[in-house]
Amino acid sequence: MSIGNSPDGNFPEDERPFEDDRDERSAERPSIGRALQQARIAAGLTVDDVSNATRVRIAIVHAIEQDDFDACGGDVYARGHIRTLARAVRTDPVPLLDQFAETRGGRPAPTPAAPLFEAERIRPERRGPNWTAAMVAAIVAVIGFVGFTAFDGGDDGDTTQVAEGSTPTTSKSASPTPKADKSDADPKPDPTESAIAAAPRDKVTVQVSASDGRSWISAKDHNGQLLWDGLLKQGESKTFQDSSKIDLVLGDAGAVQLYVNGKKIKDDFQPGQVERLTYTKGDPEVG
């Protein structure tokens, strides 16, 4: 026995031979797809409504209502879809599943049905944000910013700046010390020390030379006014003058050499050591 085409485009059931008892039961009940379609219409739902509620694709819903279960990908998936659609249209899925088992030659093993069905029909959940990667990126950004500020800030070329009060002046860098001739018995004096020795005696004069590396330098006068704050690259030097006192902060004291009031400061600063120093017009003393 077969059911004719309906206005909504359903196809007739397969006219396969059944046993007598199955033919009698088939005559009393609609097909699985027809039963689901009638229940959906009675519930006032469209195919789109059912698809959105169950996450079963629209094409599969249409195929099931036309009793085409091949689109489900297997009997296990088909049983899962029938159960889900029946619940969505508010009808009992048990008779439909029994009817499906009869038409397919028996009920399949129930154990793998649930996981296989869920894996096919449920869309993967969105993953949450990867907080570990975000934290690593933030830390790298902070380290990069600090490094850029520390090593690139305050770069003003190869000039030596003499600062007195708040009015800095710029002079040419001292010439590098010429190599001593092997025939000379006495080494030539360091022109840097000679220039500092000629500093006025009524002022305090401090020269900072980055001889062994680069270092961040900060200098203030006796009023606490900032004379200079920046990165002193290797080979560069800065000279500061004030009427009574100069306060220094050396970011890497082991990388610099100090000349105060014409005298070379003998120190044992270690590389990477931060030092806060104060010098006056008298003999050089660390404050």
Side-chain angles (χ1 to χ4, degrees), residues 23-213:
D23 289 338
E24 293 176 359
R25 287 194 296 268
S26 298
E28 296 174 357
R29 61 187 177 186
S31 67
I32 297 172
R34 181 64 175 170
L36 290 173
Q37 184 185 60
Q38 290 175 347
R40 174 178 60 77
I41 295 173
L45 301 174
T46 65
V47 173
D48 288 344
D49 295 334
V50 174
S51 176
N52 291 332
T54 62
R55 295 183 179 178
V56 178
R57 296 195 299 273
I58 293 177
I60 294 180
V61 176
H62 277 299
I64 291 175
E65 289 189 354
Q66 296 170 6
D67 294 310
D68 179 7
F69 301 104
D70 292 338
C72 298
D75 288 358
V76 173
Y77 295 108
R79 288 175 56 82
H81 289 318
I82 292 171
R83 182 184 296 107
T84 301
L85 296 181
R87 291 172 179 171
V89 298
R90 306 181 186 92
T91 189
D92 186 6
V94 175
L96 299 178
L97 293 173
D98 292 340
Q99 184 177 352
F100 181 80
E102 293 173 4
T103 60
R104 293 287 177 158
R107 186 188 303 271
T111 302
L116 288 175
F117 168 67
E118 293 297 328
E120 194 278 336
R121 76 173 183 86
I122 297 180
R123 299 172 184 172
E125 298 180 358
R126 293 183 179 179
R127 295 183 179 179
N130 191 337
W131 293 112
T132 302
M135 291 179 64
V136 171
I139 292 173
V140 171
V142 171
I143 293 175
F145 177 79
V146 172
F148 177 81
T149 303
F151 295 110
D152 290 337
D155 181 13
D156 53 358
D158 295 330
T159 60
T160 300
Q161 186 178 42
V162 179
E164 180 177 0
S166 60
T167 306
T169 58
T170 304
S171 61
K172 295 183 179 179
S173 301
S175 300
T177 303
K179 296 182 180 179
D181 186 65
K182 294 182 180 180
S183 61
D184 294 341
D186 298 326
K188 295 182 180 179
D190 188 346
T192 302
E193 295 186 41
S194 300
I196 296 302
R201 294 186 177 275
D202 59 340
K203 296 181 181 180
V204 56
T205 303
V206 177
Q207 180 178 3
V208 184
S209 298
S211 56
D212 297 325

Side-chain angles (χ1 to χ4, degrees), residues 190-271:
D190 188 346
T192 302
E193 295 186 41
S194 300
I196 296 302
R201 294 186 177 275
D202 59 340
K203 296 181 181 180
V204 56
T205 303
V206 177
Q207 180 178 3
V208 184
S209 298
S211 56
D212 297 325
R214 56 184 177 181
S215 174
W216 172 78
I217 306 294
S218 176
K220 295 182 179 180
D221 63 11
H222 69 284
N223 291 321
Q225 186 173 1
L226 186 66
L227 299 177
W228 193 77
D229 184 358
L231 183 69
L232 196 63
K233 295 184 178 181
Q234 185 172 8
E236 296 180 346
S237 63
K238 293 286 181 182
T239 302
F240 309 100
Q241 286 184 348
D242 187 69
S243 60
S244 60
K245 182 180 72 171
I246 290 178
D247 293 322
L248 287 178
V249 179
L250 307 178
D252 185 355
V256 302
Q257 178 63 59
L258 298 178
Y259 300 86
V260 180
N261 298 328
K263 297 180 181 180
K264 182 177 182 179
I265 301 300
K266 303 296 184 180
D267 57 60
D268 56 354
F269 298 145
Q270 299 299 317

